[in-house]
């Protein structure tokens, strides 16, 4: 029944609230014309299963896509760079469709051929949100394909990034290596059993057959599967640093060559099963740890934000031009909702620029003709013309990025595991030398078996296993809680943090909500209703915030007028109301008191609404929680108007800095680092990007993970911000778990060494000790990291 | 004795077959997208509703 009630108020297509202004068709409600049109189109082609698979699967179509948005796809030069294959009949292309989010999306997009016969096949890759489209270009053009996808609510996202060379698919080598190692390990195990269980003298031939088969089977492990360890060890030796893989490679080789020696000299069966097993387990750990979030990108640069082409005005004609071909002196036509790709001077139209992507500030800025507009802003005030003064590669935003690239810090810290393994290696080598000396004195024939056995048994593989498995598991727990880390190293970075820097706008505050306070003459209910009705006519963010604050109603507004960036006016119930900036209402120049909207009735000023960014609900608790353990700082590009509120919110000891440029943020991070602090920078916009790169750990806040975030070490969904403290604790637990399992593995090693120094390590003991220690360590790390997560309620 | 050798060859051959299958499936991209295939198979084709007679 509750579903029934819900259906009456939400849009059948997108699930948005549509109580007011709803459109009813076939007993279904729609919030806007766009949603209704999508429904009609799907209905016409019998694709209404779309709505049965999931409730309200669509994306709101309130904001219509500009008609000529994909006109640039008709330019053969641009199209050529996007198309992956083309013959006389068919064209293959891959689109990135960010709206794909559920099985309905999959169903609809893959049934595209039922809407247009020109589409041959569409295949969705859900994790990458990509769709391979094969179409017959005699029946449908590339532009029409893009528009067709847009018409069903899946607008392809085509950015400048698409022009670059295709990204290589996820490397699969390690998966193959894992498969091969698993195959060899299982078979070697199988063939070692007869010997462990005891073969009779008469079966000598059989024994040899088993041994040689094992030798052959272990070759692929040595030559192919163990390659990642060789590479890593070689790299570390080149940098004159002993990492954990170096002793592991040593152990692998010693095991293998001793086994070969034994088999060839007919003195024993070797340790092939232990050898293959350890490589197999270690590879599993690596694969687990390296599993990354494919759909997220931690390495975005400006090219993935920029459009692939813009409209250039030449001799009164609109020519779509690829972005790299834009030159200084060109006149660009920037349409509503388009990104400004290059620095330029406004020559015609009204510029109302939303810099939220650069600064995190959501309120658009008004620019007059003749003013310079920096790249990265989004035009929200209709069409405008822009005279380019700097090419794309030279513009402010691009330089910001390139600088960032130059200033990428050298290798961030070294994992403590490598340091641990180094001590471990020294100890093992000492033990080996002592044993060698002892046997050299007492029984020279036993040097060789004893020393090799020590090196085999003391391989720090348990340490590596516990590390990779714990990291992999922690990464998954964090991912489940909406913090997506770039890699395992980030966990350690996070555990070491002792100073946290927050950006204010967009990070501590949300861009979607404002706190509204009215000051002035008291308003009647009817006045408030009228103001709300008037604001609902405008799409300005402040008008929307006002409507949300006052509540919607059905009053009709006549003689509505809007002056972009200044204000709105209209007649409601015979009285004229105006809302807007102080100059718009009274003609007087405005002061700098923060964001205000003035209101007048019948020409007389009543008062103003002041708007403040709404702090996320969890911010207070979070900051209170953190300040006892960490140094805190809040850095903002805004003016100091909110200093008091913020100081109250963040506590006395928190550093507050206002009017900070991207470089000031960077300087602050550097200053703290040179004071020996490990700094975490939490930010959201491009203005935080350089500081995030410089900090020990940069976390980008995203409203949802589909939205674009600057390059970072981790992406945190804004809803999970409150858990930040617990995330750091979990990262600290990670280190303790690894240490604990290390102690455990040392216990195993001591048992093994007891046999090894005597030169009596039989393959059977090795074969039992090795997997049982590995598996128990894996269980320990998995169990305790899950326990830690449960303890922290993650 | 001869039986064991035969069994040995057979067991390794079967295992190798599976290894080949595994490598083929990875190469084929079957692990690239773990969401779509299990969902895709559940979609009904309803040609009767289909007016665009494709």
């Amino acid at each position: 029944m509750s579903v029934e009630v819900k259906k009456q108020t939400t849009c059948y297509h997108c699930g948005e609230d549509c109580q007011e202004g709803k459109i009813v068709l076939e007993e279904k409600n729609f919030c806007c014309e766009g949603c209704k049109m999508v429904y009609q189109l799907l209905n016409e082609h019998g694709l209404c299963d779309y709505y049965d698979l999931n409730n309200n699967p669509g994306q709101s179509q309130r904001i219509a896509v500009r008609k000529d948005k994909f006109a640039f796809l008709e330019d053969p030069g641009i199209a050529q760079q996007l198309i992956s294959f083309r013959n006389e009949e068919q064209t293959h292309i891959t689109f990135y469709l960010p709206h794909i989010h559920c099985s309905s999306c999959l169903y609809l997009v893959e049934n595209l051929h039922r809407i247009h016969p020109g589409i041959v096949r569409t295949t969705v890759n859900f994790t990458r949100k990509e769709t391979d489209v094969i179409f017959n270009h005699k029946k449908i053009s590339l532009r029409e394909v893009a528009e067709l996808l847009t018409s069903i609510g899946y607008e392809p996202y085509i950015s400048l990034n698409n022009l670059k060379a295709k990204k290589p698919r996820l490397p699969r080598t390690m998966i193959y290596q894992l498969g091969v190692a698993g195959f060899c390990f299982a078979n070697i195990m199988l063939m070692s059993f007869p010997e462990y269980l005891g073969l009779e003298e008469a079966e000598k031939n059989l024994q040899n057959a088993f041994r040689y088969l094992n030798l052959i089977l272990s070759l692929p492990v040595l030559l192919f599967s163990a390659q990642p360890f060789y590479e890593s060890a070689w790299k570390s030796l080149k940098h004159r640093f002993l990492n954990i893989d170096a002793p592991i490679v040593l152990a692998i080789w010693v095991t293998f060559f001793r086994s070969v020696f034994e088999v060839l000299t007919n003195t024993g069966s070797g340790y092939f099963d232990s050898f293959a097993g350890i490589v197999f387990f270690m590879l599993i750990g690596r694969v687990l740890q390296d599993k990354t979030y494919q759909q997220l990108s931690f390495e975005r640069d400006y090219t993935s934000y920029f459009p692939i082409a813009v409209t250039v005005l030449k001799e009164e004609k609109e020519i779509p031009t690829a972005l790299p071909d834009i030159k200084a002196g060109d006149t660009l036509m920037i349409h509503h909702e388009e990104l400004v790709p290059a620095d330029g001077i406004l020559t015609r139209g009204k510029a109302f620029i939303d810099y939220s992507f650069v600064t995190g500030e959501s309120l658009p800025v008004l620019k007059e003709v003749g003013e310079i507009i920096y790249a990265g802003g989004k035009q929200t005030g209709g069409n405008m013309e822009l005279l380019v003064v700097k090419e794309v590669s030279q513009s402010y935003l691009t330089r910001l990025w390139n600088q960032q690239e130059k200033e990428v810090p050298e290798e961030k810290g070294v994992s403590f595991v490598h340091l641990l393994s180094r001590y471990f290696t020294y100890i093992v080598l000492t033990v080996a030398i002592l044993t060698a000396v002892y046997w050299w004195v007492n029984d020279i024939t036993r040097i060789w078996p004893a020393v090799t056995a020590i090196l085999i048994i003391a391989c720090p593989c348990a340490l590596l296993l516990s590390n990779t498995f714990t990291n992999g598991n922690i990464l998954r727990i964090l991912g489940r809680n909406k913090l997506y880390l770039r890699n395992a190293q980030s966990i350690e970075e996070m555990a070491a943090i002792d100073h946290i820097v927050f950006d204010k706008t967009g990070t501590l505050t949300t861009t979607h909500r404002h706190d509204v306070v009215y000051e002035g003459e008291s308003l009647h209910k009817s006045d408030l209703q009228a103001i709300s009705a008037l604001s609902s006519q405008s799409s300005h963010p402040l008008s929307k915030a006002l409507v949300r604050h006052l509540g919607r109603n059905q009053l009709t507004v006549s003689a509505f007028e809007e002056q972009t960036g200044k204000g709105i006016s209209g007649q409601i119930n015979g009285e004229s109301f105006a809302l807007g900036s102080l100059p718009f209402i009274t003609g007087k120049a405005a002061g700098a008191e923060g964001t205000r909207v003035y209101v007048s009735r019948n020409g007389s000023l009543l008062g103003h609404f002041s708007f403040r960014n709404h702090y996320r609900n969890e911010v207070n608790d979070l900051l209170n929680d953190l300040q006892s353990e960490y140094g805190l700082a809040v850095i903002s590009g805004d003016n100091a108007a909110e200093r008091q509120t913020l100081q109250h919110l963040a506590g006395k000891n928190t550093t507050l800095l206002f009017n900070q440029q991207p470089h000031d943020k960077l300087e602050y991070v550097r200053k703290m680092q040179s004071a020996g602090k490990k700094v975490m920078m939490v930010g959201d916009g491009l203005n935080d990007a350089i500081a995030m790169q410089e900090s020990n750990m940069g976390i980008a806040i995203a409203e949802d993970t589909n939205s674009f975030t600057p390059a970072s070490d981790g992406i945190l969904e804004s809803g999970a911000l409150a858990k930040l403290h617990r995330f750091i604790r979990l990262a600290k637990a990670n280190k303790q778990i690894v240490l604990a399992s290390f102690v455990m593995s040392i216990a195993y090693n001591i048992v093994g060494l007891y046999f090894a120094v005597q030169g009596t390590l039989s393959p059977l003991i090795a074969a039992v000790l090795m997997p049982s220690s590995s598996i128990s360590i894996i269980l320990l790390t998995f169990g305790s990291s899950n326990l830690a997560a449960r303890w922290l309620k993650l | 004795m001869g039986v064991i050798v035969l069994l040995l060859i057979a067991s390794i051959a079967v295992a190798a077959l599976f290894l080949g299958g595994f490598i083929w499936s990875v190469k084929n991209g079957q692990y690239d997208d773990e969401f779509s295939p299990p969902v895709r198979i559940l979609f009904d084709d309803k040609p009767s509703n289909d007016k665009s007679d494709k």
Side-chain angles (χ1 to χ4, degrees):
Chain A
M1 201 57 208
S2 63
V3 178
E4 248 0 79
V5 176
K6 208 175 162 205
K7 266 190 181 164
Q8 284 171 3
T9 52
T10 56
C11 176
Y12 185 65
H13 177 74
C14 67
E16 256 187 44
D17 186 45
C18 57
Q19 218 157 16
E20 157 258 352
K22 71 178 172 192
I23 302 160
V24 182
L25 182 81
E26 298 170 13
E27 294 175 357
K28 295 177 179 77
N29 299 319
F30 296 96
C31 65
C32 56
E33 273 300 314
C35 288
K36 191 190 85 180
M37 273 164 61
V38 176
Y39 170 75
Q40 282 175 320
L41 183 69
L42 300 190
N43 196 21
E44 191 184 317
H45 294 93
L47 288 168
C48 278
D49 276 355
Y50 180 62
Y51 297 102
D52 299 335
L53 291 164
N54 291 282
N55 281 331
N56 322 114
Q59 200 82 21
S60 173
Q61 302 291 314
R62 265 184 221 265
I63 301 161
V65 176
R66 189 167 53 83
K67 210 175 107 251
D68 292 330
K69 182 160 183 183
F70 292 107
F72 65 87
L73 289 177
E74 284 181 349
D75 182 281
I78 297 171
Q80 189 56 44
Q81 284 170 295
L82 297 171
I83 289 168
S84 50
F85 171 81
R86 186 189 176 101
N87 63 13
E88 284 98 66
E89 277 230 314
Q90 291 184 342
T91 304
H92 297 202
I93 185 166
T94 303
F95 283 122
Y96 173 59
L97 307 179
H99 290 329
I100 290 182
H101 68 283
C102 65
S103 50
S104 289
C105 306
L106 191 72
Y107 167 78
L108 183 55
V109 174
E110 297 210 332
N111 277 301
L112 204 62
H113 59 86
R114 283 164 63 173
I115 300 178
H116 197 291
I119 306 285
V120 179
R121 196 170 71 218
T122 38
T123 319
V124 173
N125 182 326
F126 191 82
T127 37
R128 295 161 75 98
K129 293 179 192 279
E130 281 179 356
T131 301
D132 297 321
V133 183
I134 303 176
F135 62 93
N136 185 332
H137 54 246
K138 285 182 184 142
K139 291 188 190 159
I140 184 168
S141 73
L142 181 59
R143 175 182 169 177
E144 283 163 346
V145 173
E147 284 171 350
L148 179 65
L149 280 165
T150 309
S151 73
I152 56 169
Y154 294 90
E155 185 192 336
Y157 185 85
I158 303 170
S159 71
L160 186 58
N161 202 19
N162 294 47
L163 279 188
K164 287 191 190 166
K166 281 258 180 290
K167 270 176 275 169
R169 295 227 162 221
L170 210 71
R172 292 167 177 162
T173 324
M174 210 184 267
I175 308 276
Y176 294 136
Q177 285 164 336
L178 181 68
V180 170
F183 163 79
C184 296
F185 169 55
N187 282 293
I188 293 174
M189 210 51 168
L190 190 72
M191 282 186 240
S192 302
F193 266 115
E195 185 140 327
Y196 294 156
L197 301 175
L199 285 168
E200 282 164 36
E201 204 52 30
E203 290 160 328
K204 206 83 196 160
N205 287 337
L206 207 57
Q207 188 186 39
N208 272 335
F210 283 135
R211 284 180 179 177
Y212 281 97
L213 266 175
N214 278 349
L215 173 57
I216 293 166
L217 278 171
S218 60
L219 278 175
V221 180
L222 181 82
L223 298 177
F224 178 62
S225 294
Q227 267 173 9
F229 304 103
Y230 304 157
E231 279 163 24
S232 157
W234 176 239
K235 233 184 262 169
S236 83
L237 286 179
K238 264 206 307 211
H239 290 102
R240 294 170 182 271
F241 170 79
L242 200 60
N243 75 354
I244 191 166
D245 289 318
I248 280 175
V249 168
L250 182 69
I252 291 176
W253 280 354
V254 168
T255 318
F256 180 77
F257 287 111
R258 169 163 171 183
S259 309
V260 171
F261 177 79
E262 281 186 6
V263 169
L264 293 182
T265 56
N266 214 357
T267 48
S269 61
Y271 305 89
F272 289 121
D273 49 348
S274 306
F275 159 77
I278 209 65
V279 172
F280 179 57
F281 282 121
M282 287 190 300
L283 275 176
I284 294 182
R286 288 261 158 123
V287 170
L288 224 58
Q289 180 187 283
D290 290 352
K291 183 178 160 52
T292 46
Y293 305 95
Q294 278 183 61
Q295 73 275 29
L296 302 180
S297 171
F298 296 97
E299 307 277 5
R300 289 210 176 90
D301 63 4
Y302 68 95
T303 55
S304 29
Y305 302 87
F306 276 20
I308 195 167
V310 282
T311 314
V312 173
L313 288 177
K314 262 194 195 130
E315 295 149 13
E316 303 293 303
K317 268 189 276 179
E318 296 192 5
I319 306 160
T321 310
L323 212 50
D325 299 336
I326 304 286
K327 302 218 166 38
D330 284 351
T331 303
L332 303 184
M333 174 87 184
I334 307 289
H335 301 88
H336 190 59
E337 293 284 322
E338 262 186 350
L339 200 77
V340 178
D343 298 353
I345 294 170
L346 184 66
T347 53
R348 190 186 288 176
K350 275 254 168 55
F352 204 45
I353 310 289
D354 172 4
Y355 275 114
S356 60
F357 156 60
V358 182
T359 63
E361 176 56 60
S362 63
L363 294 178
V365 187
L366 183 72
K367 298 271 182 186
E368 299 287 348
V369 169
E371 279 189 90
I372 190 154
I373 296 173
Y374 290 108
K378 196 198 243 179
Q379 160 71 332
T380 57
N383 298 352
M384 66 172 184
E385 285 176 31
L386 194 71
L387 181 72
V388 177
V389 290
K390 275 180 184 159
E391 285 167 35
V392 177
S393 58
Q394 294 297 317
S395 63
Y396 173 68
L397 188 74
T398 321
R399 281 210 315 268
L400 210 63
W401 271 110
N402 293 342
Q403 191 165 23
Q404 186 185 331
E405 221 132 87
K406 233 185 296 160
E407 288 175 2
V408 168
E410 61 297 352
E411 282 287 301
K412 289 187 178 183
V414 177
S415 170
F416 75 98
V417 170
H418 295 305
L419 298 173
L420 256 182
S421 82
R422 186 147 44 159
Y423 293 119
F424 190 80
T425 312
Y426 291 147
I427 293 171
V428 168
L429 290 178
T430 319
V431 172
I433 290 166
L434 288 179
T435 315
V437 170
Y438 175 82
W439 287 121
W440 191 58
V441 175
N442 289 308
D443 180 356
I444 208 154
T445 56
R446 288 172 79 172
I447 290 186
W448 157 253
V451 169
T452 47
I454 287 170
L455 293 179
I456 291 169
I457 204 76
C459 154
C461 47
L463 180 58
L464 185 72
L465 280 178
S466 64
N467 191 37
T468 50
F469 275 89
T470 320
N471 283 346
N473 202 24
I474 298 253
L475 281 181
R476 246 191 315 280
I477 292 169
L478 291 177
R480 214 165 56 207
N481 286 284
K482 314 276 184 231
L483 170 63
Y484 307 96
L485 291 185
R486 180 208 285 264
N487 57 26
Q489 183 62 30
S490 309
I491 302 177
E492 273 186 46
E493 304 287 353
M494 195 155 90
I497 291 302
D498 52 14
H499 194 89
I500 306 178
V501 182
F502 289 97
D503 168 57
K504 186 177 78 80
T505 320
T507 306
L508 294 182
T509 66
T510 158
T511 46
H512 295 325
R513 274 180 69 186
H514 289 89
D515 292 333
V516 185
V517 180
Y518 175 76
E519 283 170 55
E521 277 178 49
S522 61
L523 296 174
H524 289 290
K525 201 170 173 234
S526 60
D527 291 329
L528 290 173
Q529 282 177 345
I531 290 166
S532 165
L534 180 61
S535 339
S536 67
Q537 303 294 315
S538 156
S539 63
H540 189 281
L542 288 180
S543 304
K544 284 184 183 166
L546 210 52
V547 173
R548 224 170 343 218
H549 177 64
L550 298 171
R552 280 184 185 275
N553 59 54
Q554 307 281 352
L555 291 176
T556 43
V557 180
S558 55
F560 175 75
E561 247 180 85
E562 174 159 16
Q563 291 195 22
T564 307
K566 289 181 177 159
I568 49 177
S569 60
Q571 297 253 341
I572 299 113
N573 291 340
E575 290 189 287
S576 69
F577 282 86
L579 288 165
S581 62
L582 197 58
F584 175 76
I585 304 288
T586 62
K588 278 183 264 174
E593 300 103 338
T595 313
R596 285 182 175 179
V597 168
Y598 291 83
V599 55
S600 74
R601 183 180 56 205
N602 298 328
S604 65
L605 182 68
L606 293 175
H608 64 261
F609 293 92
S610 40
F611 291 78
R612 235 192 267 138
N613 282 317
H614 179 77
Y615 285 93
R616 295 183 197 278
N617 298 332
E618 52 277 296
V619 160
N620 197 2
D621 291 340
L622 175 74
L623 293 180
N624 270 330
D625 239 17
L626 287 172
Q627 61 179 326
S628 55
E629 283 175 56
Y630 306 95
L632 294 183
V634 177
I635 304 190
S636 172
D638 292 355
N639 56 37
E642 290 182 36
R643 177 178 284 276
Q644 292 224 312
T645 333
L646 202 59
Q647 196 83 59
H648 178 70
L649 205 63
K652 294 193 290 294
N653 300 326
T654 302
T655 316
L656 300 181
L657 295 169
F658 294 94
N659 298 316
Q660 299 288 300
Q661 296 294 309
H663 275 273
D664 302 328
K665 298 185 181 187
L666 176 71
E667 277 314 311
Y668 181 80
V669 170
R670 285 215 177 120
K671 203 178 82 198
M672 292 321 285
Q673 280 177 329
S674 57
K677 301 275 188 199
K678 301 270 189 226
V679 183
M680 175 192 274
M681 171 87 204
V682 186
D684 73 312
L686 201 56
N687 58 340
D688 308 314
I690 345 177
M692 272 158 60
Q693 280 281 345
E694 181 68 20
S695 64
N696 300 67
M697 168 111 195
I699 290 192
I701 297 275
E703 293 292 337
D704 68 301
T705 39
N706 293 341
S707 58
F708 290 98
T709 48
S712 58
D713 297 310
I715 297 174
L716 177 64
E717 246 177 63
S718 57
L721 184 64
K723 295 180 187 163
L724 187 65
H725 192 199
R726 282 178 276 161
F727 289 149
I728 301 178
R729 282 203 187 143
L730 185 66
K732 287 187 169 157
N734 174 51
K735 190 169 177 176
Q736 283 154 3
I737 292 167
V738 173
L739 282 175
S741 49
F742 183 51
V743 171
M744 188 165 146
S745 76
I746 285 180
Y748 281 115
N749 271 320
I750 289 173
V751 176
L753 283 174
Y754 169 75
F755 294 104
V757 289
Q758 300 176 60
T760 56
L761 180 75
S762 76
L764 183 59
I765 294 175
V768 171
L769 208 60
M770 189 280 306
S772 62
S773 70
S774 302
I775 288 168
S776 60
I777 279 165
I778 290 168
L779 288 178
L780 176 80
T781 55
F782 253 84
S784 45
S785 49
N786 281 334
L787 217 64
R790 188 171 294 180
W791 183 264
L792 293 166
K793 300 198 176 68
L794 285 177
Chain B
M1 170 87 184
V3 177
I4 291 183
V5 173
L6 205 71
L7 281 175
L8 218 68
I9 295 168
S11 82
I12 291 186
V14 170
L17 217 67
F18 279 106
L19 178 68
F22 173 74
I23 290 175
W24 168 78
S25 69
V26 174
K27 197 167 269 174
N28 208 17
Q30 292 185 14
Y31 293 91
D32 287 3
D33 183 3
E34 287 157 12
F35 180 87
S36 342
V39 172
R40 192 176 289 142
I41 200 166
L42 297 175
F43 294 148
D44 297 329
D45 285 327
K46 280 197 246 164
S48 53
N49 285 6
D50 195 350
K51 291 175 194 166
S52 63
D53 58 21
K54 159 81 205 175

